[in-house]
């Protein structure tokens, strides 16, 4: 017997820009994690372009010096999120009894840096830059959701290509990869030359990835520092990702 689908509720249309912005703010606060622009557009019966424009205007107002907010609105390529400001992290942690999460190892930080500054990259490229095998660190970063597979290289063996994720941006408190600090520490010219000699061509055959709404993180590191509105302070998160001093 075929079951009937429950019809979606008919929402009363919002007629003013102020009402729409208030609805966006309420949705982001209630979600506690990044919301996709296309989902907001669907719910509010607007185009993705209009949603992005309104969210950008809201974010600018949150950052105005004459307004006093303990939260900020961050924008990512496909999502946006309300988060707490990093300077209040110690007070939030103390008030909510949140313990500090674990740290990334030095090797994981090195791999993450190589991927972030040179993506998309293969694991063999990362190995070549670092001079050691990076299998364990790559798998650890995949498990934590900081990097992800983005297709395969058109080369013998069809090695997997890796890129950073939106979670990487969120954890390190930046909106786009363009905000990464300039550095000459990752000199990869020799590695690129060696890869070229090996015959690897940077032709990417992308594997289609199914679209889905953002799922709330589940790894223990992030759960330790998620606040009442689901936010994680960028500065504290970055400190937690640094290697333990030896």
């Amino acid at each position: 017997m075929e079951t009937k689908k429950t019809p979606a509720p008919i929402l009363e249309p919002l007629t003013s820009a102020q009402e729409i912005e208030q609805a966006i703010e309420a949705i982001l606060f209630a979600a506690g994690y990044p919301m996709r622009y296309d989902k907001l557009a669907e719910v509010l019966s607007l185009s993705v372009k209009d949603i992005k424009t309104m969210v950008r205007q809201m974010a600018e107002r949150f950052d105005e010096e004459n307004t006093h907010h303990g939260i900020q609105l961050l924008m990512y390529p496909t999502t946006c999120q309300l988060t707490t400001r990093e300077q209040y992290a110690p007070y939030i942690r103390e008030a909510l009894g949140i313990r500090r999460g674990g740290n990334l190892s030095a090797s994981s930080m090195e791999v993450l840096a190589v991927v972030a500054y040179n993506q998309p990259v293969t694991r063999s490229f990362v190995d070549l830059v670092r001079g050691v095998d990076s299998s364990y660190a790559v798998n650890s970063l995949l498990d934590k959701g900081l990097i992800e597979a983005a297709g395969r290289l058109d080369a013998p063996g069809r090695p997997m290509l890796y890129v950073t994720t939106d979670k990487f941006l969120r954890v390190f408190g930046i909106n786009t990869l363009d905000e990464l600090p300039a550095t000459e520490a990752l000199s990869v010219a020799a590695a690129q030359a060696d890869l070229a000699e090996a015959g690897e061509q940077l032709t990417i055959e992308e594997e289609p990835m199914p679209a889905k709404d953002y799922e709330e993180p589940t790894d223990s590191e992030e759960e330790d520092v998620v606040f009442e509105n689901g936010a994680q302070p960028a500065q504290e998160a970055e400190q937690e990702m640094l290697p333990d001093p030896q």
Side-chain angles (χ1 to χ4, degrees), residues 103-115 130 134 136-141 144 146-147 241 243:
N103 298 331
L104 283 180
S105 65
S107 60
S108 292
M109 286 295 294
E110 289 177 1
V111 170
L112 191 56
V114 173
V115 175
R130 299 183 63 232
S134 305
Y136 180 83
V138 167
N139 289 332
S140 176
L141 293 171
K144 290 176 170 59
L146 297 175
I147 64 173
M241 306 296 278

Side-chain angles (χ1 to χ4, degrees), residues 173-244:
I174 57 178
N175 295 320
T176 68
L177 294 173
D178 293 335
E179 295 180 20
L180 286 172
T183 179
E184 297 181 0
L186 300 174
S187 178
V188 298
Q192 291 173 331
D194 289 342
L195 288 178
E197 291 178 3
E200 291 192 357
Q201 303 296 322
L202 293 180
T203 301
I204 303 173
E205 181 178 332
E206 294 187 355
E207 295 183 345
M209 301 181 68
K212 62 178 182 179
D213 290 341
Y214 185 91
E215 295 180 359
E216 192 167 2
T218 57
D219 74 275
S220 58
E221 287 187 17
E222 188 162 357
E223 286 179 348
D224 290 338
V225 291
V226 172
F227 302 145
E228 185 174 358
N229 71 338
Q232 178 179 6
Q235 183 178 10
E236 292 298 322
E238 183 171 356
Q239 292 175 353
E240 292 174 16
M241 306 296 278
L242 295 175
D244 291 326

